[in-house]
Amino acid sequence: MSKGKKYVLLSFDVEEFDMPLEYGQQIPIDEQMETGYKGLEVLMELLQPFQINGTFFTTAHFAGRYPAAIREIASEHEIASHTFYHSHFDKPDLLSSRLALEEISGQRVTGLRMPRMRKVDMKDVKEAGYAYDSSVNPTWLPGRYNNLGLPRTQYVEEGMTRLPASVSPHLRIPLFWLSFKNFPYSFFLRLARQTLAKDGYLCLYFHPWEFIPLDQYKIPGYAKKGAGVVLQEKLKRLVRDLQQEGEFISIQNYLSLAR
């Protein structure tokens, strides 16, 4: 890795849109899939002019429904596992999702991110054939997790490389999708630049469904703020600004450089 060079690791969790289920709104699986796919179409069109490289963590369930889309993404980006289903998980899903995604994408799948950043045993992840895990948000998020005791940057656990989502250097302010849509843009960018300067890399993650209108769904306002065009333009602005700060590469490629 070139001394002083900085890297932006832009990633997306590609999945069936099941968030309304958490808030008591039942929507059929076909609608969950279709919403996720519509968001993915918008996102890929948005990213295309920038010609950047990123990482797409996808459930095997979603990939099996839209294999052509996943193969197209794989021609330019890294495909990684978001396990098999977004709404439930069993240990065998670690291996079965990796194998299914490799068959669909034609890529070797080396990365894992658990849905909702849920805890997973690194021994199980290693046994399933992964090289890295990105299922850690090293911050405190009320009602979700308290990971303030975990390392803020890349570390090794049980022989598995773990790459947490980025948080700010001092107060561990999370730089994830909810922060991006709810913080003033200038504040988020300032934190992103500080983190990139300190760590040498910036690991960000979003969901394709954020980039289409979600007015019909009964999810919290903070989760759908700016959904659609507003967030599309905000992401374009972020990519343009961060292209001046570092190189956009996949997590897989970054870790190969970091060895």
Side-chain angles (χ1 to χ4, degrees):
M1 185 180 298
S2 300
K3 186 177 180 180
K5 192 165 185 179
K6 296 177 175 57
Y7 299 92
V8 181
L9 315 179
L10 185 63
S11 66
F12 299 93
D13 294 352
V14 180
E15 61 202 30
E16 47 273 36
F17 177 61
D18 61 359
M19 182 180 280
L21 305 184
E22 295 184 66
Y23 298 95
Q25 183 181 6
Q26 298 301 312
I27 59 174
I29 186 61
D30 286 347
E31 184 176 348
Q32 295 175 39
M33 289 286 190
E34 185 178 359
T35 301
Y37 180 66
K38 286 179 178 178
L40 186 60
E41 285 187 307
V42 168
L43 175 65
M44 296 313 296
E45 184 176 349
L46 182 157
L47 293 177
Q48 195 278 329
F50 293 104
Q51 297 185 322
I52 58 178
N53 186 230
T55 302
F56 288 71
F57 292 90
T58 180
T59 66
H61 193 198
F62 184 93
R65 181 72 68 97
Y66 303 106
I70 299 305
R71 284 193 290 270
E72 184 176 353
I73 294 169
S75 68
E76 299 180 17
H77 304 277
E78 176 191 1
I79 299 298
S81 174
H82 204 36
T83 70
F84 214 99
Y85 303 99
H86 198 259
S87 293
H88 64 271
F89 169 74
D90 295 305
K91 178 181 170 181
D93 293 344
L94 294 172
L95 176 59
S96 60
S97 65
R98 181 178 68 79
L99 295 177
L101 291 172
E102 288 183 342
E103 182 176 356
I104 291 168
S105 69
Q107 277 190 15
R108 180 170 173 245
V109 171
T110 63
L112 170 74
R113 178 176 290 150
M114 294 293 290
R116 300 181 177 89
M117 295 288 198
R118 67 181 291 170
K119 291 183 178 180
V120 62
D121 192 319
M122 288 300 102
K123 291 181 180 178
D124 294 339
V125 176
K126 189 173 183 178
E127 287 177 3
Y130 294 93
Y132 75 86
D133 170 76
S134 187
S135 305
V136 179
N137 200 340
T139 188
W140 176 57
L141 191 63
R144 285 290 188 188
Y145 37 69
N146 183 352
N147 292 326
L148 293 176
L150 294 178
R152 196 179 58 79
T153 57
Q154 179 184 337
Y155 65 101
V156 175
E157 178 184 336
E158 300 284 354
M160 176 62 58
T161 296
R162 305 202 76 180
L163 189 82
S166 286
V167 297
S168 65
H170 304 296
L171 298 178
R172 291 199 178 208
I173 299 172
L175 298 174
F176 68 149
W177 64 285
L178 284 174
S179 303
F180 182 65
K181 64 177 57 183
N182 287 286
F183 289 169
Y185 178 79
S186 59
F187 180 61
F188 184 91
L189 181 62
R190 184 164 72 251
L191 291 178
R193 284 172 167 161
Q194 289 174 357
T195 306
L196 186 58
K198 174 70 173 178
D199 302 339
Y201 73 89
L202 188 64
C203 184
L204 306 175
Y205 73 97
F206 306 93
H207 310 86
W209 48 259
E210 298 177 61
F211 299 96
I212 58 174
L214 299 172
D215 294 338
Q216 70 271 39
Y217 296 113
K218 297 176 182 178
I219 60 177
Y222 61 77
K224 59 182 176 181
K225 182 178 179 180
V229 174
V230 171
L231 209 62
Q232 291 172 32
E233 294 303 315
K234 199 172 183 180
L235 183 63
K236 290 179 187 177
R237 185 179 178 186
L238 182 69
V239 172
R240 284 192 295 265
D241 286 338
L242 291 180
Q243 278 185 315
Q244 301 177 40
E245 308 288 336
E247 178 184 355
F248 280 74
I249 64 173
S250 70
I251 294 175
Q252 186 180 64
N253 287 342
Y254 171 75
L255 292 175
S256 68
L257 291 172
R259 290 194 187 104

